[in-house]
Amino acid sequence: MVTAQGFTEVSNYSFISEEDARRFGLNVEAHIRVLNPIAAGQELLRTSLLPGIHRNIIENAKHFDHFRLFEVGREIHKGPSEATHLMAVIFSKDDGRAALLELKRTAGCLAPELQIRPAEPLAWEHPARAVTVLWNGKEIGRIAELHPNLVEVGRAAILDIDLELLR
């Protein structure tokens, strides 16, 4: 469904660094620590797809003025428990104004009759461009623009949906 909307699928490792967790305001202690990481900088199991998607944005922005990417992957939380998420991004080196509305439309393809509500921005979100996504009365995700200090040039809007909540 997301590919039909012009998005290209990416796949990222399920491991992140402590630095990645801190960059996005994620609590390092809330992550499961890997005892034998396969490489330096991969000592935590991800609790969000955001660090990997951010790396994809930074790398692709070096070569393209506009792109759409998405990943469907598991977030791993202590317990342990896993939740499958969809994270989609629209990047543009122009003003990027339409991206948030386009992501709302994309989310509506997954969850018809969704609603959005203004939200307090998270550490990684633009201070004035963040909403929660509601479906059947429950919060299933967020749509937000990345904070300007996380993107050197252009704008990146992110859709994060917990697919487990769409059942």
Side-chain angles (χ1 to χ4, degrees):
M1 191 294 307
V2 184
T3 55
Q5 306 300 314
F7 290 81
T8 300
E9 187 171 13
V10 296
S11 185
N12 292 296
Y13 288 117
S14 297
F15 308 101
I16 66 168
S17 68
E18 287 186 22
E19 180 185 339
D20 284 338
R22 287 188 192 96
R23 177 180 300 120
F24 299 103
L26 304 172
N27 180 354
V28 172
E29 299 308 314
H31 288 77
I32 296 173
R33 187 169 295 281
V34 177
L35 297 178
N36 259 343
I38 59 173
Q42 295 185 348
E43 61 271 6
L44 304 175
L45 290 174
R46 67 184 178 188
T47 60
S48 171
L49 303 181
L50 185 60
I53 287 287
H54 182 256
R55 280 189 296 278
N56 299 137
I57 293 167
I58 298 305
E59 286 305 310
N60 280 279
K62 294 175 184 175
H63 308 287
F64 304 102
D65 290 342
H66 308 277
F67 55 85
R68 294 172 178 225
L69 303 174
F70 80 97
E71 179 176 12
V72 174
R74 294 193 179 269
E75 295 182 350
I76 299 120
H77 300 275
K78 284 190 172 177
S81 68
E82 296 182 12
T84 303
H85 276 244
L86 161 74
M87 187 165 279
V89 61
I90 297 176
F91 174 84
S92 180
K93 288 189 180 171
D94 63 17
D95 67 13
R97 288 187 211 194
L100 294 170
L101 293 173
E102 181 65 13
L103 287 175
K104 180 185 179 224
R105 189 190 64 73
T106 301
C109 293
L110 291 167
E113 301 180 27
L114 66 81
Q115 299 173 323
I116 60 168
R117 182 181 319 150
E120 285 294 314
L122 301 176
W124 58 270
E125 296 174 334
H126 188 287
R129 298 187 182 117
V131 296
T132 57
V133 177
L134 302 151
W135 184 65
N136 290 339
K138 60 185 168 188
E139 186 176 325
I140 62 167
R142 296 179 74 86
I143 300 172
E145 189 174 302
L146 278 181
H147 195 284
N149 68 7
L150 292 171
V151 182
E152 288 182 30
V153 62
R155 290 185 171 185
I158 305 277
L159 165 67
D160 182 14
I161 298 284
D162 185 335
L163 296 176
E164 308 286 329
L165 298 175
L166 290 179
R167 294 180 181 184

